[in-house]
């Protein structure tokens, strides 16, 4: 199943309108992707599910939506201007660019027993043409632009490489306006930009992407316990949304490889078709960011405990997730092919059937309304049902082709329920609801449809 899975996902995504290559008519640009009519629904649903779990259902987390362009001092304070770099090498022959650390990792993966510190980039050749590689240069990943009409050093600004800093600089504002006590979190979803040297694997690594981040502020000393809580939360969230637990695991970053701000980092990894990869990172950022912003801005971002009168900089636990990477994970995990098909109608039997087994809460379309004839009164009844349901859910109406074909079209985009309006419907006011996964069919009164779909598509 893993074989060729990425190609199948990329092709399905394009064919059914989940994702298109960005600016495709001009030949695309730098690994960008555009979300199509179904993709935008899926992405919105994933974002909503995260927001609901992290903000709406918790009394200890509030939301924020900070600007993408921030005062450049932010990036001095955070360390991004100096240290947000990747080690880059060029091939002197074919001129291709690589991340030096990725070349080293790939090299040692093929040579069991060899350790990273035992090899140098000078020992390696270009993986594409065998050519000689340049020395390593550190390449800053932040996109630079300028604000206002003059392009000079004073007008230089950056597109944010993480949403987190918008949260830290607003810590004081949120504290004052929302009367929060520790522990509490601030969450936000938004675009981040990184001039990645090697974007790739479809929407796994791109230069423009959306992050869903939460900074949870705690009293120092309670940070390790909270770290465990959020680590578990990350795993539970994906499992509750239907991702197979044997495809998920934790990876603990070795101490010597931690980012400059981190005391501990654990990634929730997913087993992608090319191997295990980071899906959601959890970092203990200590009091690094609040202290740095206090120093650089001259504003005191420490916290006063009103009960003990103690004053200190809170520690921060940060679960940081990529929205696009989550969408890719849900697509890959939901994909299933059934050789020979599941339906028994003669024309659609014996073909390979594709089903996206999305959790109903994230499925782009919740229900499809299928009249068994293209004539009134069935079409009028079906249109009435579509109209009523569309007040609460994304629904589709489809009257073309056999009902088996129509089921397949919906299975392929992950629609959990198909509602058939048949020749008995005008008599008994009932329709047949077919379940995407079990294919069980039940007779339901039209008046009860909206609540039934609502209950079954809830989180
Ligand atoms: N504030 C911490 C931070 O940004 P990160 O591990 O660099 O940490 C968090 O990013 C998450 O954002 C990752 O786990 C991944 O899901 C997503 N992400 C990072 N870089 C990405 C890229 N170039 N394309 C898509 N998603 C990315």
């Amino acid at each position: 199943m893993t074989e060729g899975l990425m190609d199948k996902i990329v092709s399905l995504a394009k064919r059914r309108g989940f994702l298109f290559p960005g600016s495709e008519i001009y030949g695309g640009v730098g690994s960008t992707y555009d979300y199509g009519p179904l993709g935008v629904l899926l992405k919105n649903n994933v974002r909503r599910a995260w927001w609901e779990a992290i903000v709406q259902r918790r009394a200890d987390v509030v939301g924020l939506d900070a600007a993408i362009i921030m005062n450049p001092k932010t990036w001095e304070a955070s360390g991004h201007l100096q240290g947000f770099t990747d080690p880059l090498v060029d091939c002197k022959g074919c001129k291709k660019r690589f991340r030096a650390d990725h070349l080293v990792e790939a090299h040692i993966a093929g040579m069991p027993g060899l350790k990273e510190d035992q090899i140098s980039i000078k020992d390696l050749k270009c993986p594409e043409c065998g050519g000689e590689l340049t020395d390593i240069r550190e390449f800053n990943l932040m996109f630079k632009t300028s604000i206002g009409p003059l392009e000079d050093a004073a007008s230089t600004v950056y597109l944010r490489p993480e949403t987190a800093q918008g949260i830290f600089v607003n810590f004081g504002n949120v504290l004052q306006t929302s009367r929060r006590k520790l522990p509490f979190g601030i969450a936000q979803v938004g675009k981040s930009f990184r001039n990645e040297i090697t974007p790739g694997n479809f929407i796994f690594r791109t230069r423009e992407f959306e992050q869903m981040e939460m900074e949870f502020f705690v009293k120092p000393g309670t940070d390790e316990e909270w770290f465990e809580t959020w680590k578990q939360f990350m795993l539970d969230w994906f499992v509750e949304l239907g991702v197979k637990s044997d495809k998920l695991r934790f990876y603990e970053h070795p101490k010597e490889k931690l980012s400059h701000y981190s005391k501990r980092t654990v990634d929730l990894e997913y087993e992608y078709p090319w191997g295990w990869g980071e899906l959601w990172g959890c970092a203990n950022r200590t009091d690094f960011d609040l202290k740095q912003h206090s120093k650089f801005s001259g504003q005191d971002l420490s916290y006063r405990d009103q009960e003990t009168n103690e004053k200190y900089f809170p520690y921060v636990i940060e679960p940081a997730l990529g929205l696009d990477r989550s969408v890719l994970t849900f697509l890959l995990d939901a994909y299933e092919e059934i050789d020979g098909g599941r339906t028994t109608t003669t024309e659609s039997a014996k073909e390979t059937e594709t089903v996206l087994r999305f959790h109903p809460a994230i499925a782009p379309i919740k229900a499809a309304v299928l009249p068994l004839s293209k004539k009134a009164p069935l079409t009028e009844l079906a249109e009435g049902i579509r109209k009523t349901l569309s007040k609460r859910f994304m629904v589709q109406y489809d009257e073309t082709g056999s009902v088996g074909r129509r089921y397949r079209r919906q299975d392929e985009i992950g629609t959990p329920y198909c509602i058939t309006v048949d020749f008995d419907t005008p008599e008994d006011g009932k329709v047949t609801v077919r379940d995407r996964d079990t294919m069980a069919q039940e007779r339901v009164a039209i008046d009860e449809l909206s609540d039934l779909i609502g209950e079954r598509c809830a989180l």
Side-chain angles (χ1 to χ4, degrees):
M1 178 57 142
T2 315
E3 210 179 306
L5 179 57
M6 262 322 257
D7 291 342
K8 287 176 184 168
I9 291 292
V10 174
S11 144
L12 173 70
K14 171 91 198 286
R15 187 161 40 83
R16 297 306 311 267
F18 283 92
L19 283 143
F20 308 126
S23 352
E24 194 181 11
I25 60 166
Y26 291 108
V29 60
S31 284
T32 60
Y33 292 92
D34 297 340
Y35 284 78
L38 291 179
V40 67
L41 297 175
L42 176 61
K43 192 182 187 188
N44 285 346
N45 291 345
V46 174
R47 192 194 288 110
R48 195 174 303 123
W50 181 88
W51 189 267
E52 191 172 322
I54 285 241
V55 183
Q56 187 179 317
R57 291 194 188 186
R58 297 189 65 104
D60 56 0
V61 180
V62 293
L64 183 80
D65 186 10
I68 287 175
I69 295 176
M70 301 181 69
N71 186 306
K73 273 199 176 164
T74 308
W75 310 114
E76 260 181 73
S78 67
H80 283 83
L81 263 177
Q82 303 89 320
F84 194 56
T85 57
D86 272 345
L88 171 85
V89 286
D90 292 306
C91 170
K92 291 182 184 168
C94 69
K95 310 288 178 210
K96 286 237 166 76
R97 293 205 150 155
F98 304 96
R99 266 180 64 171
D101 53 334
H102 285 179
L103 292 186
V104 170
E105 273 165 27
H107 185 73
I108 58 169
M111 307 189 91
L114 193 65
K115 297 251 160 40
E116 261 176 60
D117 53 6
Q118 292 172 299
I119 67 157
S120 138
I121 199 73
K122 291 200 168 57
D123 305 328
L124 304 183
K125 296 275 179 237
C126 169
E128 299 283 329
C129 75
E132 204 182 321
L133 299 170
T134 60
D135 286 341
I136 295 176
R137 283 187 292 131
E138 289 300 328
F139 172 75
N140 196 300
L141 299 184
M142 283 199 294
F143 278 100
K144 227 188 244 184
T145 184
S146 56
I147 205 155
L150 291 177
E151 273 188 46
D152 58 17
S155 68
T156 299
V157 288
Y158 302 89
L159 302 186
R160 68 179 176 203
E162 62 172 12
T163 58
Q165 297 305 325
I167 297 178
F168 295 127
V169 301
N170 278 294
F171 176 71
N173 283 337
V174 174
L175 199 59
Q176 278 162 22
T177 54
S178 61
R179 294 169 38 245
R180 291 279 142 184
K181 284 190 192 148
L182 292 190
F184 78 94
I186 307 177
Q188 81 165 325
V189 185
K191 287 256 169 149
S192 291
F193 302 83
R194 297 181 188 177
N195 200 359
E196 299 278 4
I197 299 164
T198 48
N201 286 326
F202 198 28
I203 52 168
F204 179 81
R205 181 173 286 107
T206 49
R207 296 191 171 106
E208 172 182 343
F209 55 98
E210 226 167 308
Q211 287 187 308
M212 307 191 284
E213 297 198 290
M214 199 270 297
E215 310 301 321
F216 199 73
F217 301 91
V218 303
K219 186 173 183 180
T222 63
D223 51 311
E224 287 173 20
E225 209 177 311
W226 275 109
F227 189 97
E228 293 305 325
T229 305
W230 284 109
K231 186 180 143 205
Q232 187 61 38
F233 176 97
M234 293 169 13
L235 176 67
D236 293 345
W237 189 76
F238 271 102
V239 172
E240 272 162 30
L241 281 174
V243 171
K244 297 170 196 83
S245 51
D246 61 349
K247 290 253 176 197
L248 293 163
R249 73 172 189 194
F250 288 116
Y251 168 74
E252 177 97 34
H253 287 230
K255 286 258 177 291
E256 64 280 8
K257 289 209 166 169
L258 291 174
S259 306
H260 59 282
Y261 53 74
S262 176
K263 173 176 159 187
R264 184 182 175 200
T265 300
V266 173
D267 291 341
L268 178 68
E269 293 190 328
Y270 182 77
E271 192 176 16
Y272 293 99
W274 62 90
W276 290 93
E278 175 185 347
L279 170 58
W280 196 341
C282 188
N284 182 341
R285 293 184 77 124
T286 67
D287 53 8
F288 176 84
D289 302 273
L290 290 179
K291 272 189 172 159
Q292 285 291 99
H293 288 302
S294 294
K295 193 169 132 197
F296 279 73
S297 69
Q299 308 265 327
D300 182 8
L301 296 178
S302 64
Y303 173 82
R304 183 177 295 281
D305 187 318
Q306 281 158 15
E307 273 146 40
T308 62
N309 217 22
E310 270 180 287
K311 202 167 173 250
Y312 54 84
F313 285 98
Y315 266 37
V316 173
I317 308 301
E318 176 197 64
L321 174 62
L323 176 52
D324 311 82
R325 204 171 281 188
S326 305
V327 167
L328 175 63
T329 307
F330 283 119
L331 276 167
L332 286 164
D333 203 75
Y335 187 90
E336 199 177 317
E337 276 178 1
I338 298 122
D339 276 345
R342 303 184 299 171
T343 39
T344 48
T345 51
T346 43
E347 64 176 303
S348 52
K350 295 200 174 58
E351 287 169 19
T352 301
E353 226 178 282
T354 303
V355 187
L356 281 179
R357 295 187 190 274
F358 289 133
H359 186 293
I362 60 162
I365 306 293
K366 306 300 183 207
V369 188
L370 319 174
L372 273 194
S373 121
K374 285 186 182 172
K375 292 190 191 130
L378 268 52
T379 47
E380 281 164 6
L381 281 167
E383 176 53 19
I385 293 170
R386 187 205 65 76
K387 231 172 163 173
T388 306
L389 293 184
S390 67
K391 290 180 188 154
R392 287 180 66 188
F393 320 103
M394 285 304 302
V395 288
Q396 280 189 352
Y397 175 95
D398 185 2
E399 57 175 35
T400 11
S402 71
V403 79
R405 285 263 170 243
R406 285 183 265 171
Y407 284 157
R408 281 173 162 233
R409 281 203 283 271
Q410 295 300 328
D411 289 346
E412 199 183 38
I413 61 168
T415 306
Y417 300 105
C418 283
I419 298 163
T420 308
V421 179
D422 59 30
F423 296 99
D424 291 332
T425 307
E427 308 304 320
D428 64 6
K430 290 184 173 174
V431 289
T432 303
V433 177
R434 179 249 196 198
D435 182 292
R436 175 198 67 203
D437 297 332
T438 62
M439 298 199 301
Q441 305 207 356
E442 61 190 305
R443 206 74 191 146
V444 176
I446 291 173
D447 293 349
E448 289 166 17
L449 274 176
S450 183
D451 285 345
L452 180 120
I453 306 283
E455 272 162 36
R456 295 191 187 170
C457 292
L459 284 165

